[in-house]
Amino acid sequence: MPQSSAQVTAAEISRIAGVTRATVSNWRRRHDDFPAPSGGTDSSPLYDLESVRSWLASRGHVSAASPSEELRTTLRLHAQSGGGTSDLLLLVLAAARRSPEELSAAALLPDPDLVTRAQHDVATTTAADAVPAGDAVRFKADDAPVLRALYACVRDEGGQAALGVLAERELEDSAASGAYRTPEPLADLLAGLILIPGSPARVLDPACGSGTLLASAARRGARELYGQDTLPVQARRSAVSLMLTAPEATVTVRAADSLRADAFPGLVADAVLCNPPFGVRDWGHDELAYDARWAYGVPPRAESELAWVQHALSHLTPGGYAALILPPATAGRASGRRVRAELVRGGALRAVIALPVGASVPLHVGLQIWVLQRPEPGGPERKSVLFVDAAETGAGAGAGARAGDGGTAGATRTRGGTSRSASLDWAELTARVMGAWQAFTTSPDAFEGEPGVAHAVGVVDLLDDVVDLTPARLVRASRAEVDPAELSAQVDATRQNLVKAAKSLARAAGHEEWSSAGATAREWRTATAADLSRGGALTLLRTAPESGRGGPVAGGDGPTEAPEAARAVLTGSDIAHGSGPTGDAAELRSVVAPLIAVGDVLVRAVAGGDGPMARVAGEEDADALLGPHVHLFRPDPARLDAWFLAGFLGAEENIAGASTGSTVLTVSPGRLRVPLLPLEEQRRYGEAFRHVHALRAEAQRATRLAENTARLLAGGLTGGQLLPGRNTAAHPHGAD
């Protein structure tokens, strides 16, 4: 039976109010009128929801909760009456095809009429057969609060936001493990390696999870998308998500184990993208011992990854490519030597690319990309394999296990973690990998490589007793080819730039235009960005699918246009690393993107990682396209100072209070809060934030130069190109 009065936890209060848990704890201690616990335990108290909302309203926090947070809270309360979430996935698809006015009208309907409307929307949804079958959808009267919250969420934040909340809830309620999203920059890199932009390819992902890899394929022009996942909730989520983001594509997703029960046995695809589960012992070794897919040898019991590799190859048309994300042990484990040898000997393996630590879960492991190509009968002989060591491009740390792109099974699912992939310089990583791959595929025999980074190794040289395909080992040998004089000049130039950067950093750090606030910190009267937007003080814009709902969050004015190849795209990585726009417009297909103007405030849509969360657009950003993972705030200069706005929007506590999710924290732009200050005072704060931005930019520049200088010096000393100075004093504790 449902409770007569809904109860919420302190964590849910923080999300409703748009503040951190610490702030809620302070409220409980400092305010005698804060609602007393109405249930739970001393260590985990519960509070009456309506009492909490009344208290928050009296203090100006009534509008802080985003529609997605309202949906999340409503789902948790609805679970007390036995309601599920899987029935709602098709409703998201139906609602996303309605206008905002229709969704507003639906949310205002009386409960019985609302249930009838939702039932009708699901029943008339086209392409519903593409979603893996579940029980027939039957909404009940007590589903009305959830239906109302879902319509509001789709109207204000788009179908993807509602879909993410539903899938998150169903995964939490299930015993599923190993569900992780492939970071979108990594998914874009895989798609870029094997897909030609604009090509109407047929693409398969046999461990599709939430569909990130297939969505990247769709952005590059793929028009037939096939996915399969062991978890029914992930398969349904993937199907709905792809139909929202790529409405012009044909989407077919199935729920089953791809190795044991291939849902597409006759499918021949142009490309296969996959982030499969790894470290799985029970993958079907015994019952699949004589499977026709094992053209390169039966995968050993401990080598499920080599089973996925051959499964991918079996679904390719001759000449078609596959790209898989695999653990580094796959390249050198003794048990897989014979299969690796056959993949190399048969010309199926084309490249192995080592990624930096933190590129994807597990965050403490440097994963690899394997690029494979199904041999063509009578095709050209493949004499070499490309190896790229991009492990030094970025850094990350963390722990956890992983299984697929929101994956299948075989690992422990870590809750509450933050993705470290945002801390990597994805633009540099992508450029390095794609540059080597394109040069190699253009002319494999003439490929010269890049010492210490990329090297093509002959097939004969790889077929030794161990067939170790680890890029670091094979690329290292190419470092000896560096000219000593050339390296010495490069080190000297880099060192001089480092000295200049250090002096500039010292000047920025010497700024002292601030003072203590006194005995206690200043308290703010704030408004949410959504409130300021409704009042006309700013406009919120974002990149959205051409045919989707979710254009501008509020307002909608300002120039927008479909991507052009000649325009650059500003990404979240550009904000984090302080670079100009580096994104590729060719990867933004079927979207309408706002054009950035000088003075716009840009905020990363995914929290976490190093670097700033926000910045003010300058001349170098003007007329660039807004990337899909960046929120744009366009302030009215007569009411809001841009640097003041950027400083408070990007504050750690503000970002934390406006973020939702588990492994990936997504920022809800409307929930970000801004102090209400006179314009003159805003400008004083804005000038201070401008100095903070300059300090951070100089520190980042100096750090990059220091790392590059140290890398060049260490590589030159160990590679024999550089010698230590003759007057260098011996270490007092050195060996005799």
Side-chain angles (χ1 to χ4, degrees):
M1 294 292 293
Q3 295 184 168
S4 58
S5 181
Q7 294 178 304
V8 291
T9 64
E12 286 165 333
I13 295 174
S14 72
R15 290 197 292 261
I16 292 171
V19 298
T20 64
R21 286 284 303 276
T23 301
V24 175
S25 297
N26 286 334
W27 287 345
R28 292 169 57 190
R29 290 193 301 267
R30 295 172 55 188
H31 300 288
D32 294 335
D33 61 340
F34 189 84
S38 58
T41 64
D42 290 341
S43 59
S44 300
L46 296 174
Y47 302 86
D48 180 80
L49 177 59
E50 292 308 316
S51 297
V52 168
R53 281 178 168 160
S54 297
W55 189 88
L56 292 172
S58 69
R59 295 180 175 271
H61 289 285
V62 66
S63 62
S66 67
S68 59
E69 281 301 336
E70 290 285 358
L71 177 58
R72 183 176 283 106
T73 299
T74 306
L75 283 171
R76 190 192 72 79
L77 301 176
H78 185 254
Q80 298 172 357
S81 64
T85 61
S86 58
D87 289 352
L88 299 168
L89 292 174
L90 277 177
L91 183 58
V92 171
L93 182 60
R97 293 171 176 172
R98 299 284 187 183
S99 69
E101 294 74 21
E102 290 175 314
L103 295 175
S104 295
L108 295 174
L109 291 172
D111 288 359
D113 295 341
L114 177 61
V115 171
T116 301
R117 171 62 178 273
Q119 195 70 48
H120 175 266
D121 281 350
V122 170
T124 57
T125 299
T126 59
D129 57 340
V131 180
D135 296 333
V137 177
R138 293 288 184 272
F139 295 123
K140 307 181 293 297
D142 62 357
D143 293 325
V146 173
L147 300 176
R148 205 177 310 280
L150 187 146
Y151 278 123
C153 183
V154 173
R155 177 196 63 202
D156 294 343
E157 297 189 41
Q160 292 291 357
L163 187 63
V165 172
L166 296 178
E168 175 187 302
R169 183 68 201 179
E170 189 162 345
L171 284 169
E172 289 176 351
D173 288 342
S174 72
S177 64
Y180 296 97
R181 290 177 63 89
T182 301
E184 293 201 26
L186 179 55
D188 290 341
L189 174 57
L190 260 71
L193 285 167
I194 67 173
L195 291 172
I196 300 172
S199 172
R202 176 183 299 180
V203 182
L204 167 69
D205 183 350
C208 64
S210 57
T212 308
L213 289 167
L214 289 173
S216 292
R219 287 195 292 271
R220 297 187 72 85
R223 288 298 173 263
E224 290 186 49
L225 308 174
Y226 297 86
Q228 185 170 348
D229 198 88
T230 298
L231 297 180
V233 59
Q234 289 289 70
R236 290 193 291 269
R237 175 188 187 180
S238 180
V240 174
S241 176
L242 291 170
M243 283 186 279
L244 288 174
T245 58
E248 70 286 353
T250 300
V251 176
T252 308
V253 182
R254 297 291 179 260
D257 184 330
S258 289
L259 294 183
R260 285 189 169 97
D262 187 359
F264 308 105
L267 175 65
V268 178
D270 300 302
V272 175
L273 295 166
C274 191
N275 186 358
F278 60 75
V280 180
R281 293 277 180 165
D282 183 24
W283 57 269
H285 175 270
D286 294 338
E287 65 247 52
L288 298 174
Y290 300 100
D291 197 285
R293 289 172 290 183
W294 314 148
Y296 299 90
V298 178
R301 189 182 302 276
E303 299 285 352
S304 62
E305 298 82 17
L306 294 177
W308 286 100
V309 165
Q310 296 190 75
H311 176 79
L313 284 167
S314 72
H315 276 288
L316 286 173
T317 185
Y321 283 97
L324 289 82
I325 301 171
L326 299 174
T330 309
R333 209 157 32 201
S335 56
R337 177 182 61 83
R338 292 184 179 179
V339 175
R340 290 197 302 271
E342 290 305 315
L343 290 169
V344 171
R345 185 180 289 111
L349 182 65
R350 304 300 293 127
V352 179
I353 301 161
L355 296 171
V357 170
S360 185
V361 178
L363 301 174
H364 65 292
V365 175
L367 300 173
Q368 296 176 354
I369 299 173
W370 282 34
V371 182
L372 303 111
Q373 185 179 23
R374 184 165 182 172
E376 302 171 85
E381 181 184 3
R382 292 160 188 170
K383 301 177 182 179
S384 60
V385 177
L386 172 66
F387 293 89
V388 179
D389 184 6
E392 295 180 351
T393 303
R402 146 214 171 282
D405 170 26
T408 45
T412 302
R413 185 171 183 262
T414 302
R415 304 180 191 273
T418 302
S419 173
R420 305 292 182 90
S421 67
S423 66
L424 297 178
D425 188 341
W426 282 104
E428 180 185 350
L429 174 62
T430 300
R432 172 170 289 181
V433 171
M434 291 298 300
W437 172 246
Q438 290 169 355
F440 175 75
T441 54
T442 299
S443 182
D445 294 337
F447 180 74
E448 296 182 356
E450 180 182 352
V453 176
H455 188 50
V457 182
V459 168
V460 174
D461 296 327
L462 293 173
L463 296 175
D464 54 17
D465 292 339
V466 293
V467 197
D468 189 341
L469 306 178
T470 303
R473 182 183 72 86
L474 295 163
V475 169
R476 191 179 302 127
S478 67
R479 292 181 178 173
E481 302 170 8
V482 178
D483 179 72
E486 181 181 336
L487 179 60
S488 180
Q490 186 179 1
V491 169
D492 189 58
T494 305
R495 185 181 59 80
Q496 292 295 333
N497 288 333
L498 173 59
V499 171
K500 294 178 183 178
K503 292 178 180 178
S504 182
L505 175 59
R507 288 193 297 271
H511 183 78
E512 299 177 354
E513 294 291 327
W514 31 70
S515 59
S516 171
T520 60
R522 184 176 183 181
E523 292 191 3
W524 312 105
R525 187 168 68 90
T526 64
T528 65
D531 290 335
L532 293 173
S533 178
R534 284 190 287 269
L538 58 79
T539 301
L540 276 64
L541 300 170
R542 66 183 176 203
T543 295
E546 237 173 349
S547 56
R549 291 283 165 236
V553 178
D557 300 326
T560 62
E561 60 179 63
E564 298 176 358
R567 290 192 184 275
V569 177
L570 188 129
T571 68
S573 177
D574 297 331
I575 297 175
H577 295 94
S579 68
T582 61
D584 184 1
E587 297 181 3
L588 297 181
R589 297 182 57 83
S590 303
V591 300
V592 176
L595 292 178
I596 297 171
V598 174
D600 287 345
V601 177
L602 308 163
V603 178
R604 289 157 53 193
V606 178
D610 298 328
M613 285 294 300
R615 83 176 188 207
V616 177
E619 294 290 347
E620 71 279 7
D621 303 319
D623 293 329
L625 293 167
L626 186 71
H629 307 299
V630 180
H631 299 303
L632 188 154
F633 298 74
R634 182 161 292 159
D636 177 355
R639 300 173 63 180
L640 284 172
D641 179 82
W643 279 103
F644 160 82
L645 183 63
F648 279 98
L649 290 180
E652 286 186 31
E653 182 170 305
N654 208 0
I655 293 293
S659 298
T660 60
S662 53
T663 57
V664 176
L665 297 180
T666 303
V667 178
S668 299
R671 293 180 59 198
L672 292 168
R673 305 191 73 86
V674 181
L676 300 176
L677 298 178
L679 184 59
E680 189 59 36
E681 190 171 7
Q682 289 182 36
R683 287 171 178 160
R684 291 201 300 272
Y685 274 94
E687 189 60 27
F689 283 127
R690 190 193 299 268
H691 281 292
V692 171
H693 174 79
L695 176 63
R696 178 182 281 119
E698 291 297 341
Q700 287 179 326
R701 178 167 169 257
T703 299
R704 286 195 295 267
L705 285 168
E707 290 290 342
N708 196 29
T709 302
R711 180 180 62 82
L712 290 171
L713 282 168
L717 290 168
T718 58
Q721 293 90 359
L722 299 179
L723 300 175
R726 294 180 180 179
N727 60 348
T728 301
H731 194 283
H733 301 293
D736 293 334

